[in-house]
């Protein structure tokens, strides 16, 4: 099955700095990948759909200028949290879709902004 | 909110007992998926059930789907302490997953 590698697994950054999270598809050419966010004790919420070679589609309420998504190749999507603030501290996780099968998720990234 | 609802939000049982979690959703679906998440970690896929299926089994897991009621249930039989985790249902909408609020299961040895 497809394997998704997400890096880093944990990151601590200072308020005001930017953090980049990578999501790689290791054995599948992914034209579409998804980014989710999960706050403590809550469920996962879809943030955006990453489209290879075109702009990402953001869900309502997600600031596209704050969460920059780049999907420049069929195997890599990146999420950059710009000017991070403590309220951006969360668990971020990517997935890729292979049609009508289960989603394949990365390992997730726990971001802590101090 | 597009999110589905799950109940119970938390469930505490003894090892060996069965655990049942329920999920309701709002829109039509292609399929419904169940995932498990250990504390603070990634998601593990458990079962996918398609909209034209009513029941599916995988080991100690049994999933039902009632599209007329827009609901699904996950049954874990003969639970083990290692089953302690959060369980989420998710409906597939064109590849996007809409997650339920989750059930936190605690299995006491």
């Amino acid at each position: 099955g497809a394997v998704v590698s997400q890096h880093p697994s944990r990151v601590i950054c200072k308020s005001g700095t930017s953090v980049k999270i990578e999501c790689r598809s290791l054995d599948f050419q992914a034209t579409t990948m998804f980014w989710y966010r999960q706050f403590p004790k809550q469920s996962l919420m879809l943030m955006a759909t990453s489209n290879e070679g075109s702009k990402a589609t953001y869900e309502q309420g997600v600031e596209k200028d704050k969460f920059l998504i780049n999907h420049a190749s069929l195997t890599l999507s990146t999420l950059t949290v710009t000017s991070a603030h403590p309220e951006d501290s969360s668990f971020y996780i990517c997935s890729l879709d292979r049609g009508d099968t289960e989603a394949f998720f990365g390992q997730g990234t726990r971001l802590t902004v101090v | 909110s597009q999110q589905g609802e799950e109940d119970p939000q938390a469930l505490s049982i003894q090892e060996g007992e069965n655990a049942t979690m329920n999920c309701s959703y709002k829109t039509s679906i292609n399929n419904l998926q169940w995932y498990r998440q250990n504390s603070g970690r990634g998601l593990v896929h458990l079962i996918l059930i398609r909209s034209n299926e009513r029941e599916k089994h995988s080991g100690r897991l049994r999933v039902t789907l009632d599209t007329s009621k827009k609901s699904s249930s996950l049954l874990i039989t003969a639970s083990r302490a290692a089953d302690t985790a959060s369980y989420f249902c998710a409906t597939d909408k064109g590849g996007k997953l809409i997650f339920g609020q989750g059930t936190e299961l605690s299995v006491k040895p």
Side-chain angles (χ1 to χ4, degrees):
Chain A
V3 176
V4 182
S5 177
Q6 186 173 341
H7 177 81
S9 58
R10 291 179 181 272
V11 59
I12 300 173
C13 72
K14 291 184 177 180
S15 190
T17 61
S18 296
V19 173
K20 181 185 283 188
I21 303 169
E22 293 187 348
C23 183
R24 291 184 184 274
S25 174
L26 299 184
D27 66 352
F28 180 72
Q29 294 187 323
T31 56
T32 302
M33 300 176 87
F34 302 98
W35 287 95
Y36 298 83
R37 177 170 56 184
Q38 183 182 34
F39 291 110
K41 301 292 185 183
Q42 294 188 26
S43 187
L44 292 89
M45 293 289 290
L46 178 67
M47 296 177 66
T49 302
S50 174
N51 303 299
E52 188 267 335
S54 65
K55 291 183 180 180
T57 306
Y58 291 82
E59 295 300 304
Q60 192 173 7
V62 177
E63 301 174 57
K64 60 183 178 183
D65 294 332
K66 181 168 186 61
F67 299 100
L68 301 180
I69 291 173
N70 184 279
H71 194 153
S73 77
L74 289 170
T75 59
L76 176 64
S77 175
T78 61
L79 168 67
T80 301
V81 183
T82 63
S83 187
H85 291 283
E87 56 264 32
D88 298 323
S89 297
S90 187
F91 185 69
Y92 294 86
I93 191 165
C94 65
S95 76
L96 64 85
D97 173 50
R98 289 183 62 173
D100 195 23
T101 68
E102 73 267 26
F104 293 90
F105 284 89
Q107 302 92 325
T109 297
R110 184 158 303 283
L111 171 64
T112 303
V113 185
V114 297
Chain B
S1 169
Q2 289 290 313
Q3 279 198 303
E5 296 183 2
E6 286 186 59
D7 74 272
Q9 290 189 345
L11 179 61
S12 182
I13 59 175
Q14 293 293 132
E15 227 173 9
E17 294 180 339
N18 295 341
T20 300
M21 289 159 262
N22 302 297
C23 166
S24 62
Y25 56 92
K26 299 179 181 179
T27 63
S28 60
I29 60 171
N30 296 324
N31 63 65
L32 185 143
Q33 304 173 32
W34 283 90
Y35 289 87
R36 165 196 168 122
Q37 183 181 37
N38 285 29
S39 179
R41 304 184 72 174
L43 293 167
V44 176
H45 175 260
L46 298 176
I47 286 187
L48 179 152
I49 186 165
R50 301 188 192 285
S51 59
N52 61 351
E53 297 176 311
R54 292 295 168 259
E55 187 170 311
K56 207 161 183 179
H57 297 254
S58 176
R60 292 184 296 113
L61 306 180
R62 173 179 167 252
V63 166
T64 63
L65 178 65
D66 186 334
T67 52
S68 66
K69 295 181 180 178
K70 290 187 167 60
S71 67
S72 175
S73 68
L74 169 67
L75 168 67
I76 303 174
T77 60
S79 64
R80 305 167 182 167
D83 294 330
T84 295
S86 293
Y87 292 82
F88 295 93
C89 66
T91 53
D92 187 332
K93 192 170 182 179
K96 301 180 184 181
L97 292 184
I98 308 298
F99 285 87
Q101 294 163 343
T103 295
E104 198 168 328
L105 174 65
S106 175
V107 182
K108 300 185 187 308

